[in-house]
Amino acid sequence: MFLFFIFGTSLIYGQNTVNDTIIVQDTLSNLKFNYKQLIIPGVLVSYGVIGLESDQLKGYNSDIKKEVNEDIDHKISIDDFSQWAPAVSVYSLNAFGVKGKHNLKDRSIILASSYLMMSATVFALKGITKVERPDGSSNNSFPSGHTATAFAGAEFMYQEYKDQSIWYGIAGYAVATGTGLFRMYNDRHWLTDVVAGAGIGILSTKAAYWMYPFLQHKVFKSSIENKTTSMIMPFYN
């Protein structure tokens, strides 16, 4: 009986070890980031950064500003709200029974991680570059925080619903693009600000999905899954 107990305990311990090993291997395999995912956001961010010094791209900025200002009758503040629309839509769709890829806790952690990385990047670049806004109101134009927020949400919506229908992602990116256009229409940002903001937003959410398997295993362990958890994320735009 004693030998049987030891043998059974050894089997259980060995099984747990194997399971932990499998989890770690799966986590590491999920961390393999496909470099192709970096191409589009990389090009967008590069365009914005190059535009900080390129006379040609600065000329495009000025030409667009002149064209836009000729047609402006009054400003429209819809971009203050549309920046949040793609991310909020994910939760709304889930509330109406259209299930995304992740549950409430998982997708909230992913979105919070994305916003944290995006906000840190945007504020750091604003402080470093000190680009004057088109309306001359301040020197924190580059990159566009509204656009970054909108595109982070659009990529979030795409990732959650791409297996359901690609049209969810298209709708999210259409709203995000509109947000960027309204930032220029309202004379708050240059084209390079908006393009760079879009790239930062997309890249932040892609990185959040890439990192989440590691965070899930190392930080948000399964032992707390059955407990009620709350999360407060300070965010300023």
Side-chain angles (χ1 to χ4, degrees):
M1 179 65 72
F2 180 70
L3 291 176
F4 177 77
F5 174 76
I6 293 177
F7 180 69
T9 303
S10 299
L11 285 177
I12 293 173
Y13 177 77
Q15 183 177 6
N16 290 336
T17 302
V18 171
N19 289 338
D20 288 343
T21 302
I22 292 174
I23 291 174
V24 172
Q25 289 175 347
D26 288 344
T27 300
L28 292 177
S29 65
N30 287 331
L31 286 175
K32 293 180 179 178
F33 193 80
N34 186 351
Y35 73 92
K36 293 181 180 179
Q37 298 182 47
L38 298 174
I39 295 177
I40 293 178
V43 169
L44 295 176
V45 174
S46 297
Y47 178 89
V49 172
I50 293 172
L52 294 173
E53 299 296 335
S54 170
D55 292 334
Q56 183 175 7
L57 295 185
K58 287 180 180 179
Y60 291 155
N61 284 342
S62 299
D63 291 341
I64 292 174
K65 173 182 166 58
K66 291 177 182 178
E67 290 293 332
V68 171
N69 286 348
E70 289 179 358
D71 299 327
I72 289 180
D73 295 326
H74 59 278
K75 294 183 178 180
I76 304 174
S77 60
I78 189 174
D79 45 318
D80 289 334
F81 305 98
S82 63
Q83 63 175 320
W84 308 108
V88 172
S89 296
V90 173
Y91 290 90
S92 299
L93 287 168
N94 273 266
F96 284 102
V98 185
K99 301 300 181 184
K101 182 182 295 184
H102 294 89
N103 60 34
L104 176 63
K105 188 194 82 169
D106 291 342
R107 67 172 176 267
S108 297
I109 294 171
I110 291 170
L111 183 61
S113 301
S114 171
Y115 279 166
L116 182 62
M117 289 184 285
M118 179 269 295
S119 301
T121 303
V122 167
F123 281 111
L125 289 174
K126 283 181 179 293
I128 294 171
T129 58
K130 299 185 183 301
V131 176
E132 185 179 14
R133 291 184 183 271
D135 61 2
S137 61
S138 60
N139 293 322
N140 60 351
S141 187
F142 183 88
S144 170
H146 281 62
T147 308
T149 301
F151 275 86
E155 179 65 19
F156 176 59
M157 190 173 186
Y158 166 72
Q159 291 292 338
E160 287 297 308
Y161 287 104
K162 64 182 179 181
D163 296 332
Q164 296 269 9
S165 172
I166 193 173
W167 289 103
Y168 289 111
I170 292 174
Y173 270 99
V175 172
T177 301
T179 301
L181 293 176
F182 273 112
R183 295 307 286 167
M184 292 189 292
Y185 178 84
N186 290 328
D187 211 23
R188 296 292 290 166
H189 282 290
W190 307 101
L191 174 63
T192 46
D193 303 337
V194 169
V195 173
I200 291 170
I202 296 171
L203 186 59
S204 297
T205 298
K206 285 185 179 295
Y209 275 92
W210 171 56
M211 292 168 53
Y212 184 65
F214 175 79
L215 294 175
Q216 186 181 38
H217 181 65
K218 294 296 184 181
V219 181
F220 304 99
K221 295 183 179 179
S222 60
S223 60
I224 63 172
E225 286 184 353
N226 294 326
K227 297 181 180 180
T228 301
T229 58
S230 299
M231 176 173 57
I232 299 175
M233 183 189 68
F235 181 77
Y236 172 78
N237 192 327

